[in-house]
Amino acid sequence: MSRLLTVKEVAERLRVHPMTVRRHIKSGRLRSTHIGRAVRIPEEAVETLAGREHGREGQEMSKEEWIARLLEPPTPEEWERRRKAFEEMPKLAVKVDFPVDALVRAARRGREITGGEKTWEELIAEESEPLGD
C-alpha cells in the first residue's frame, strides 16, 4: 500500500498552492480519499499527475516537456465530448422576465427563503418593484 499524503504535502511536492491541489481533486485529475474530515492523497496518484509514472521517479519535467504536453492536440474522443457540450449550451440558457440585478439582490436575501419566511418568487417580485419616491 502506498503512503498517503496531506494536501499540504502534495502542494509542496508539486510546488503549487494547496488550493490548486484541491481543484485537481475536485476535477478528478487527482485521486483522493477522505479519512474523517481529512483529505489524503495516495503517493502514486501524485506521481501520475506529475507525469512520473513511466520510470521518471525523482525527475521533474522540463519546461519544454510541460509545454509539449499542454500543446498536444485533443484526441478524437475529447473533440466529440467538447462538441456535445457545445451543442448542449443553448438548452441550458434560461429566459428570464425580470432584471438580473433583481435576481442578484434576491439571492443576497436568501436567508429569508431558508428560514421559510418567503419564496424565491416573492423576493424577486419585491426586488423587481421600482423604488418609491
Side-chain angles (χ1 to χ4, degrees), residues 13-15 46-72:
R13 279 189 181 196
L14 298 177
R15 297 183 194 157
V46 177
E47 292 170 0
T48 300
L49 180 69
R52 299 179 183 165
E53 67 272 40
H54 298 292
R56 296 178 53 96
E57 308 302 326
Q59 297 178 13
E60 294 184 15
M61 289 178 76
S62 69
K63 181 179 177 181
E64 292 76 22
E65 289 173 314
W66 274 109
I67 292 171
R69 191 171 192 188
L70 290 172
L71 296 178
E72 281 181 7

Side-chain angles (χ1 to χ4, degrees), residues 45 64 77 97:
E64 292 76 22
E77 295 80 19
D97 59 346

